[in-house]
Every structure is written in C-alpha cells, then in structure tokens.
Amino acid sequence: MIKKFRIGKPFDTKAVTAEIQEEKISAFPLELSQEERCVVAFELRGEDMIFGLGETVRGINKRGWIYESWCSDETEHTEDKRSLYGAHNFIVVSSKDKKFGLFVDFPGKVEWDLGYSNPDKAKITIDGNNVDFYYIEGETERDIVKQFRQIIGKSYIPPFWAFGYQQSCWGYSKQSDFISVRDNHRANNLPLDCIYMDIDYMDKFKDFTVNEELFPDFKSFVSDMKAHDIHLLPIIDAGVKKEQGYSVYDEGHKKGYFCKNPDGTDFECGVWPGIVGLPDFLNKDAREWFGSQYKTLIDMGVDGFWNDMNEPALFYSTKGLDKAWEKLDKLSGREIGIWDYFGMRDTFARLQNSMDDYSSFYHNVDGELVCHKDVHNLYGAFMTNAAGEYFEREYGREKLLIFSRASYIGAHRTSGIWFGDNYSWWEHILLNLKMLPSVNMCGFLYCGADLGGFNNNVTGDLLLRWLALGVFTPLMRNHRALGTRAQEAYQFDNTQDFADVLAVRYRLIPYIYNTFRRCADENDMMFRPLAFDYPEDKLALEVEDQLMLGEECMIAPVYEQNKSGRVVYLPEPMTFVKLSGENITSTKLSEGIHYVEVKLNEVPLFIKQNKKIPLAMPALNTAGLDMENLDYIS
Ligand code: GLC
C-alpha cells in the first residue's frame, strides 16, 4: 500500500511514473515539521534496521551513521564520508512489528541522520519545503521494494553483450593500445567483450570528437574491433569545452543551452578540457540537443557510452579561481604565518565542487530560472536520461549500452550506474558487495564497481578475489586510473588463474542474464541482504558480507588479504560450489557456520536446496556463447 503526501509545489524530478492520489498531510504517519526545511523523524527501537540509500558508504544496515543525498565527485570512499555519486532517497525501515518504505522525492540536499545524533531516532532533513513523500507499507522488505519499484517504472536493460567481461583503463590512448589489449586477452585465452575509451580518445577532451592523429580512420577501427567481437565504449563528460569553432560549444552557447550566471552569461568552470560550459540538462531543449550529439559517434559504429563528471564535478569555477588569485596576491611577497599558509593551501583545495559555485548558477526550466543548488541531484540523471531517451527513440530498446556516474532515482529507467573511483583496497571489495542490494532497491540493476580498484596499485590476489565477486555483477568491468599499476588479467604470471575465473563469468551468463531480465520485468532485486529472506533468523539479520542472488543462491566472496578461505553463515542447508574454468566441485553443507576454503582461481557459490543453476560452456565472448546447450548444477 502506497501513500503519497505532498508539501508545497515540488519540482518535477521525473522519478515516479505512476499516478498516485495525494493524501491529506495531516495523515502523514511519521513525525513531520514543515518549517523552512521539512524534517521527518521516527523512533528507532532496539532491533530496528534501515536498508537503502543506494550508493553510499558503510553497511547494508544503514543505521548509526549520517548520510547526505548530494551527488558528489568523491574520490575517497571512506567511512567518514556522507555522500558518493548518487542521490537515492529511498529507505526501508524494518521493525519486528512494522515495516515501511519511505521515498523522499526532492532534488536538493537531504540529510539522513539515522541514529547518529541520537541512537534512538531517525531524523531526515530536507533542504527545502517543496517535497513529495511516498510512504509504503508491506509484509516484507522485498514486497515494499517491489511496490516502490512499480511506481518508479521498469529498470533499464542493456544489450546482451554488456554482460560480457570488459576492460578499461584511463590511459589507453592510441589505436595500438586497444589492439594490444584485445590481442593479449585472446592470446592468453582470456574472454573479453568490450574495451573502454577514456578521455584520451577525444580531441583535447572535447565531447563527441575523436583525436584524428591517434585514430586516422575511427570508423574502420570501430568496425575492425567489432569484427573481432570487441565493442568500444567511449566516455562522455558533462562539461563542453569552451572553444570557438568547436561546433558543440558554439551551438550550445548560441542557443543558450549552458547553465547561466545571474547576469545571463554562461557559468564557466574548469574540468578536464580546461574551461567548459555546463549543458543545462534541466532545460528540455538543451537535453534533447545534447542527447542527439551522441549520434556523431553512433554513426561511426559505437554502440555504448559511459557518462562521467556529471554530479557535476567542478575542479574550479572561473569566478572562484579569480577570488583565489586575489587572495594569493595579497599574501605574495609578505612574510606569512602558518595559518596564512594553511589558508592559502585550502583556498585552492576548496575550489573543487564548492557549494558557493553550486549556489551561483542557474537552470532554465520552462522559462523559469532555478538555482542549481536546489536541483543539484538531478543533473547527472538528466544528462543520462538525455542520452538514454534519445537512444530508445532513435535506435530502440536494448540496443545501446549506457551507464552513468551520477544518478537520481528515475535514471534507472534509461541507464545503469557504476560506483565511481574506488581504490585497490581489500575493504572496497566488501563495499562493492554492500552497495549492490541498496542500489537494486532503487531500480539500478545494471551496475558494478571498478574491479581491481580505480586508484592505487593493485595486486594479483586482490584482483582475482574482486573478479570472483564481479563474476556476479551485471556490469563486470576492470578499470584503473592513469599512472596506477597495470591490471589487465594478462599482466600477472598466474594468467591461467585469471582465465579460470573469467571463464566462470561466461559459464554463468545464462543465469545472470535471465535473473537480471526477470528482476527488471518483475521489479525485483537481483541481490538481497540475507535479512530480507530470513527475517526470523537472528544471525542472518546481521550478515554484512554475503548476499542472496536471485531465487537460487547466495554469494560470499573472499575479501581479505592472505586468506585461503572464509567463514560463511548458511541460514539453511546449501550446496557449496566452487567453479574454476570448466571445473566444478560441490559439497553439501548443513545450516550454520562453516569455514570454506577457496583458492584464488575459484569462484564460490552457494545453491539453495531444490534449486539449480544453468551453466554454459566457457566462451571467449558473448557472441560465442552457446545459450542452448546448458548443464545444470544443484
Ligand atoms: C573520473 C572517472 C574515471 C575516469 C576519469 C578520467 O575520475 O570516474 O572513471 O577514468 O575520470 O576520465
């Protein structure tokens, strides 16, 4: 049962697609104060748990920390942070006697104090007083999620090949880099479906351009890679380089499609290309215009994209930089104290993603000027919708792959997401796992983290363990930052171990793909906390490092250094399966706590009683997968 409550005149976020009758606000079932900022509060009792909030730090059970919905270009996903790239305002509160879901449909900042200031109280502060609340009651957490997913519309389904293994690296720049990645995978019997093109493929980081020196005949290159069953996936950044003579900039500027300063001039800031204009994705015409720009690359044979820097990430604004120089000028030549020095250092550090800047530029929404700060969380989502809607209209459903870094609920209908710039840290394998059910709750099914870690230097064992989790995530991409240690599967002496793990992905694609489709169809979650499936089981309620997958199984990856296995909790008897290349070993395990050994080249999986999983024969790409002749394990 869903109830909608409206306060004031909320901005149309396009998150909810269903028509729902409004209830009287006096019937709102939680504590509510409607001052300048709306505040919702409710008691938290002993065993109450809170799930949701999509892409955030910390546990599957979110209780005990303070989070902020504020799409952030946050490079360090550590526990002290409050926000990451997505703003996913949906929670499910689970008490013994009552379970409810709450969606706060609001495009600005929302603070979720879930027992941080007061352990017995949840307090949600909305940075404004025009907001829609959706309050959902249901028998189970999963049922509440399904009801919510029903009102926000069906999840995006990518093309089939997007379920293959994908390799990425910020730093592949010339044609020969891509060919060598392709050939090295093939030579080492490592499957691969897709190679990513990071910003270096562009001409001076200009969206929708290709560096002609590096790619003299891009169209033939794309088609040659496709003939080898490799899809190329270029990145598109939100900011459009300010350069006279660059048609995208010229047109955007002329038509007034960039975000504006109060005086009507374009707001300008610095990102990878230097000074950029930020397309006004909240302006319908600008959105359509930007969406249609992807055609340039699609016409060259490209069939997928990843949208980046769309929180939007600002390294600095020209206004901010001017002020910073002024400050510096005042200190220049003087003998400065240590506080002056720290102040000077911070002046520059604080230029990045500054609230002053977010509060200073405007969108044109149907002729009305709207301050960016008030709709910040929609920017990346609307950028990706611009692309996704254009793709669907022009090319049909399931034809192009698209996923985004920033998101808001609603973007799940047109795209997937990835979890941004993580680190090659063991704890980020676990964080990757914890985010999966929370983002599924918000409709994002096509998702995954940078396997192996983006920042920092990887080690072979970490990558293998991470891939053994990635085998199950719909987006399975190995990506790293410029200047970090190479982490393609063939870079390590024990390449066969990598081939063994990657082969398992292809063996499991029939299962993963069908489970994905079913979940998209039925508004279900692919990954669930154990608490959702075993609500009466005290131990299961607290498990934070295992997940239920589909109706059939449970996953429990090894995520610690120098471990030859792990402790796992089975809420019911299951078959413990280890998959490695074509090899399968299976052991029946009783309900309870077990220690299971898992070698680096093995993928552990736990199958429930009376359930079976289809397995294809390994293949080197999705085009070569035989989806008909399947074996089953149970
Ligand atoms: C951002 C992205 C990362 C990409 C880099 C360069 O940090 O999150 O994936 O490699 O920009 O484009």
Side-chain angles (χ1 to χ4, degrees), residues 111-122:
E111 183 187 87
W112 306 78
D113 183 341
L114 304 180
Y116 168 78
S117 304
N118 173 353
D120 304 325
K121 192 109 193 175

Side-chain angles (χ1 to χ4, degrees), residues 103-271:
F103 174 46
V104 178
D105 194 6
F106 181 75
K109 189 180 267 186
V110 181
E111 183 187 87
W112 306 78
D113 183 341
L114 304 180
Y116 168 78
S117 304
N118 173 353
D120 304 325
K121 192 109 193 175
K123 195 171 151 209
I124 304 162
T125 308
I126 293 118
D127 192 20
N129 51 14
N130 295 298
V131 53
D132 278 328
F133 295 109
Y134 295 83
Y135 180 86
I136 310 172
E137 276 180 13
E139 287 289 306
T140 64
E141 293 83 358
R142 192 169 171 184
D143 166 52
I144 292 171
V145 171
K146 276 193 180 182
Q147 291 186 57
F148 174 58
R149 294 266 303 277
Q150 212 159 4
I151 65 164
I152 58 174
K154 293 256 161 90
S155 299
Y156 163 76
I157 300 181
F160 178 67
W161 59 263
F163 288 80
Y165 178 59
Q166 316 179 355
Q167 182 62 50
S168 182
C169 165
W170 172 15
Y172 299 156
S173 48
K174 11 179 224 319
Q175 229 161 263
S176 58
D177 293 341
F178 295 87
I179 294 171
S180 131
V181 172
R182 176 192 81 193
D183 292 350
N184 276 312
H185 278 84
R186 297 291 182 250
N188 289 287
N189 223 14
L190 297 161
L192 188 68
D193 265 270
C194 173
I195 308 179
Y196 283 71
M197 311 191 84
D198 209 316
I199 45 176
D200 310 283
Y201 80 89
M202 299 180 197
D203 172 27
K204 292 187 269 174
F205 305 141
K206 288 184 285 187
D207 278 342
F208 313 112
T209 67
V210 175
N211 182 321
E212 285 176 9
E213 262 171 46
L214 298 173
F215 302 92
D217 185 352
F218 187 64
K219 198 169 177 181
S220 315
F221 179 59
V222 176
S223 113
D224 177 57
M225 291 298 264
K226 239 188 224 163
H228 286 82
D229 293 310
I230 297 289
H231 298 261
L232 289 173
L233 216 90
I235 195 170
I236 300 295
D237 281 350
V240 170
K241 184 174 174 60
K242 180 180 179 185
E243 185 182 281
Q244 255 94 53
Y246 162 40
S247 62
V248 183
Y249 175 78
D250 285 344
E251 196 181 346
H253 175 68
K254 199 165 122 219
K255 295 196 166 152
Y257 287 162
F258 295 125
C259 294
K260 298 269 184 278
N261 292 311
D263 66 3
T265 57
D266 288 353
F267 171 79
E268 292 177 350
C269 57
V271 203

